[in-house]
C-alpha cells in the first residue's frame, strides 16, 4: 500500500500561481507512475497531468497544457504540480494518484489515491 498526501492548496486570484505537492509513504513511489486529477463541484473527476516513474514522460490535459508543469523528486518521494496563469475553471479539489502499470499518458491506471487538496481561484 502507498499512502499519498497532497498539500499546497489554497485560494489564489485569477492569473496567479500555485504549487501543489504530493508526498508518498513508501520508497516504491519512485517506481510508480503518478498523476494529478481534479474534481470541481457538480462535475466528474478529470485528468490533469501524469508523469512516468522516473520522469521521462509526461502528459497534460488540453485545458492545462502550457500552464501547468508536473515534476517529481524521487529522492524525496515527492511529486509536484506547478500551476501558473490560474483561471476560475481551475477551482477544484486536486488529487494525487499513483499506479504501477505501464505509462499510458492520460489513460495510465492509478491504484492509489490521496484525499485531495482544495484549490480555489477567485476573480
Amino acid at each position: 500500500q502507498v499512502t499519498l498526501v497532497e498539500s499546497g492548496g489554497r485560494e489564489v486570484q485569477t492569473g496567479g500561481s500555485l504549487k501543489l505537492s504530493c508526498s508518498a509513504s513508501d520508497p516504491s513511489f519512485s517506481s510508480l507512475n503518478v498523476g494529478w486529477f481534479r474534481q470541481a463541484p457538480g462535475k466528474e473527476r478529470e485528468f490533469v497531468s501524469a508523469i512516468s516513474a522516473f520522469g521521462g514522460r509526461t502528459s497534460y490535459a488540453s485545458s492545462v497544457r502550457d500552464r501547468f508543469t508536473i515534476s517529481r523528486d524521487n529522492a524525496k518521494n515527492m511529486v509536484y504540480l506547478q500551476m501558473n496563469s490560474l483561471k476560475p475553471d481551475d477551482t477544484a479539489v486536486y488529487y494525487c494518484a499513483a499506479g504501477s502499470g505501464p505509462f499510458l499518458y492520460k489513460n495510465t491506471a492509478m491504484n492509489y489515491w490521496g484525499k485531495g487538496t482544495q484549490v480555489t481561484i477567485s476573480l
Side-chain angles (χ1 to χ4, degrees), residues 21-118:
S21 298
C22 174
S23 177
S25 63
D26 194 281
S28 65
F29 183 64
S30 64
S31 65
L32 301 177
N33 303 311
V34 177
W36 286 97
F37 297 77
R38 67 188 183 187
Q39 187 169 26
K43 300 180 67 176
E44 293 188 346
R45 185 174 297 174
E46 66 174 342
F47 169 81
V48 175
S49 184
I51 187 167
S52 59
F54 296 98
R57 291 169 289 175
T58 58
S59 180
Y60 297 92
S62 297
S63 59
V64 307
R65 187 171 291 116
D66 299 325
R67 297 191 298 121
F68 292 10
T69 302
I70 189 170
S71 63
R72 67 191 301 163
D73 185 343
N74 285 340
K76 297 180 179 179
N77 289 342
M78 298 286 287
V79 169
Y80 308 98
L81 184 68
Q82 177 66 51
M83 306 185 292
N84 299 323
S85 301
L86 287 162
K87 308 173 181 179
D89 284 349
D90 294 320
T91 294
V93 174
Y94 283 70
Y95 298 89
C96 178
S100 59
F103 186 75
L104 301 175
Y105 302 92
K106 70 178 183 180
N107 297 128
T108 300
M110 301 295 173
N111 308 115
Y112 309 100
W113 293 81
K115 294 182 178 180
T117 185
Q118 178 70 50

